[in-house]
Amino acid sequence: IVGLREKELAAAAQQVVDLDMELAATTSSLTAAKAESSRVEGGREALTLDQRALRAEIKELTERAGAAEAAADREMRRTASLEAKCQGHTETAERTRMRMVELEGALEGARSREDCAHAEATKAKALGQAA
Protein backbone atom coordinates (compact mmCIF):
# COMPACT_ATOMS: atom_id res chain seq x y z
CA ILE A 1 0.00 0.00 0.00
CA VAL A 2 2.86 2.41 0.83
CA GLY A 3 4.53 1.68 -2.50
CA LEU A 4 1.27 2.26 -4.27
CA ARG A 5 0.84 5.49 -2.39
CA GLU A 6 4.35 6.58 -3.30
CA LYS A 7 3.63 5.88 -6.95
CA GLU A 8 0.38 7.82 -6.73
CA LEU A 9 2.19 10.70 -5.00
CA ALA A 10 4.98 10.60 -7.58
CA ALA A 11 2.38 10.56 -10.37
CA ALA A 12 0.50 13.43 -8.67
CA ALA A 13 3.76 15.35 -8.17
CA GLN A 14 4.61 14.80 -11.85
CA GLN A 15 1.13 15.93 -12.78
CA VAL A 16 1.65 19.08 -10.64
CA VAL A 17 5.01 19.70 -12.39
CA ASP A 18 3.36 19.16 -15.80
CA LEU A 19 0.48 21.49 -14.87
CA ASP A 20 2.97 24.06 -13.51
CA MET A 21 4.91 23.92 -16.81
CA GLU A 22 1.68 24.20 -18.75
CA LEU A 23 0.67 27.15 -16.55
CA ALA A 24 4.07 28.79 -17.17
CA ALA A 25 3.68 28.25 -20.93
CA THR A 26 0.11 29.61 -20.83
CA THR A 27 1.27 32.59 -18.74
CA SER A 28 4.08 33.23 -21.21
CA SER A 29 1.63 33.01 -24.13
CA LEU A 30 -0.76 35.33 -22.31
CA THR A 31 2.06 37.81 -21.65
CA ALA A 32 3.07 37.66 -25.32
CA ALA A 33 -0.57 38.12 -26.36
CA LYS A 34 -0.91 41.11 -24.02
CA ALA A 35 2.30 42.60 -25.44
CA GLU A 36 1.02 42.05 -28.99
CA SER A 37 -2.33 43.55 -28.02
CA SER A 38 -0.56 46.60 -26.56
CA ARG A 39 1.59 46.91 -29.68
CA VAL A 40 -1.51 46.69 -31.90
CA GLU A 41 -3.35 49.20 -29.71
CA GLY A 42 -0.33 51.52 -29.85
CA GLY A 43 -0.30 51.14 -33.62
CA ARG A 44 -4.00 51.88 -33.75
CA GLU A 45 -3.50 54.99 -31.62
CA ALA A 46 -0.60 56.07 -33.86
CA LEU A 47 -2.79 55.56 -36.92
CA THR A 48 -5.57 57.57 -35.29
CA LEU A 49 -3.09 60.37 -34.57
CA ASP A 50 -1.80 60.15 -38.14
CA GLN A 51 -5.36 60.35 -39.44
CA ARG A 52 -6.04 63.40 -37.28
CA ALA A 53 -2.84 65.03 -38.50
CA LEU A 54 -3.75 64.26 -42.12
CA ARG A 55 -7.26 65.62 -41.64
CA ALA A 56 -5.83 68.80 -40.11
CA GLU A 57 -3.36 69.12 -43.00
CA ILE A 58 -6.14 68.54 -45.56
CA LYS A 59 -8.26 71.19 -43.83
CA GLU A 60 -5.35 73.65 -43.83
CA LEU A 61 -4.58 72.97 -47.50
CA THR A 62 -8.25 73.36 -48.38
CA GLU A 63 -8.36 76.70 -46.58
CA ARG A 64 -5.15 77.83 -48.28
CA ALA A 65 -6.50 76.75 -51.66
CA GLY A 66 -9.68 78.74 -51.00
CA ALA A 67 -7.64 81.79 -50.02
CA ALA A 68 -5.47 81.42 -53.13
CA GLU A 69 -8.56 81.12 -55.30
CA ALA A 70 -10.06 84.24 -53.72
CA ALA A 71 -6.78 86.10 -54.29
CA ALA A 72 -6.74 84.94 -57.91
CA ASP A 73 -10.32 86.18 -58.35
CA ARG A 74 -9.37 89.56 -56.88
CA GLU A 75 -6.35 89.76 -59.19
CA MET A 76 -8.50 88.87 -62.20
CA ARG A 77 -10.98 91.63 -61.30
CA ARG A 78 -8.10 94.05 -60.73
CA THR A 79 -6.55 93.06 -64.06
CA ALA A 80 -9.88 93.55 -65.84
CA SER A 81 -10.20 96.98 -64.23
CA LEU A 82 -6.66 97.90 -65.30
CA GLU A 83 -7.33 96.64 -68.82
CA ALA A 84 -10.43 98.83 -69.00
CA LYS A 85 -8.42 101.84 -67.78
CA CYS A 86 -5.68 101.08 -70.31
CA GLN A 87 -8.27 100.87 -73.07
CA GLY A 88 -9.66 104.24 -71.99
CA HIS A 89 -6.18 105.77 -71.93
CA THR A 90 -5.41 104.26 -75.34
CA GLU A 91 -8.59 105.77 -76.78
CA THR A 92 -7.78 109.14 -75.19
CA ALA A 93 -4.24 109.01 -76.60
CA GLU A 94 -5.61 108.21 -80.07
CA ARG A 95 -8.05 111.14 -79.92
CA THR A 96 -5.21 113.36 -78.72
CA ARG A 97 -3.00 112.24 -81.64
CA MET A 98 -5.80 112.91 -84.12
CA ARG A 99 -6.40 116.37 -82.62
CA MET A 100 -2.65 117.06 -82.75
CA VAL A 101 -2.59 116.16 -86.47
CA GLU A 102 -5.54 118.51 -87.02
CA LEU A 103 -3.78 121.30 -85.12
CA GLU A 104 -0.53 120.71 -87.03
CA GLY A 105 -2.50 121.02 -90.28
CA ALA A 106 -4.15 124.19 -89.05
CA LEU A 107 -0.74 125.53 -87.97
CA GLU A 108 0.73 124.83 -91.43
CA GLY A 109 -2.24 126.61 -93.00
CA ALA A 110 -1.78 129.56 -90.67
CA ARG A 111 1.94 129.70 -91.45
CA SER A 112 1.20 129.61 -95.14
CA ARG A 113 -1.34 132.42 -94.79
CA GLU A 114 1.11 134.35 -92.60
CA ASP A 115 3.85 133.89 -95.20
CA CYS A 116 1.46 135.14 -97.92
CA ALA A 117 0.43 138.12 -95.82
CA HIS A 118 4.10 138.90 -95.10
CA ALA A 119 4.94 138.66 -98.79
CA GLU A 120 2.01 140.95 -99.64
CA ALA A 121 3.07 143.40 -96.97
CA THR A 122 6.65 143.36 -98.23
CA LYS A 123 5.43 143.86 -101.79
CA ALA A 124 3.18 146.74 -100.73
CA LYS A 125 6.03 148.32 -98.80
CA ALA A 126 8.37 148.01 -101.79
CA LEU A 127 5.72 149.53 -104.05
CA GLY A 128 5.16 152.27 -101.53
CA GLN A 129 8.87 153.07 -101.43
CA ALA A 130 9.10 152.99 -105.21
CA ALA A 131 6.30 155.48 -105.58
Side-chain angles (χ1 to χ4, degrees):
I1 293 181
V2 172
L4 188 60
R5 282 279 210 191
E6 285 179 2
K7 284 183 184 180
E8 286 177 355
L9 281 174
Q14 183 60 44
Q15 194 175 16
V16 167
V17 169
D18 290 345
L19 286 173
D20 193 36
M21 287 175 57
E22 189 178 330
L23 177 62
T26 301
T27 301
S28 177
S29 292
L30 180 60
T31 301
K34 283 182 180 179
E36 179 67 14
S37 176
S38 293
R39 187 186 68 74
V40 167
E41 186 61 32
R44 185 178 303 139
E45 288 174 5
L47 286 175
T48 300
L49 290 175
D50 286 347
Q51 286 176 339
R52 286 182 186 155
L54 288 173
R55 284 186 187 120
E57 188 174 350
I58 287 169
K59 181 180 177 187
E60 178 186 345
L61 290 173
T62 301
E63 290 170 355
R64 285 173 50 194
E69 190 175 322
D73 286 345
R74 284 191 303 274
E75 281 302 310
M76 284 175 36
R77 285 192 301 276
R78 183 174 166 269
T79 300
S81 172
L82 289 174
E83 286 175 349
K85 284 181 183 178
C86 285
Q87 181 63 32
H89 292 313
T90 300
E91 290 169 0
T92 301
E94 185 60 31
R95 285 192 306 272
T96 302
R97 275 192 291 277
M98 287 173 30
R99 180 68 179 139
M100 192 172 71
V101 167
E102 287 174 16
L103 291 174
E104 285 175 348
L107 180 61
E108 281 299 315
R111 281 185 187 151
S112 177
R113 285 190 303 276
E114 184 181 345
D115 288 345
C116 284
H118 182 66
E120 287 292 324
T122 304
K123 182 178 168 185
K125 188 176 178 184
L127 286 174
Q129 286 178 354

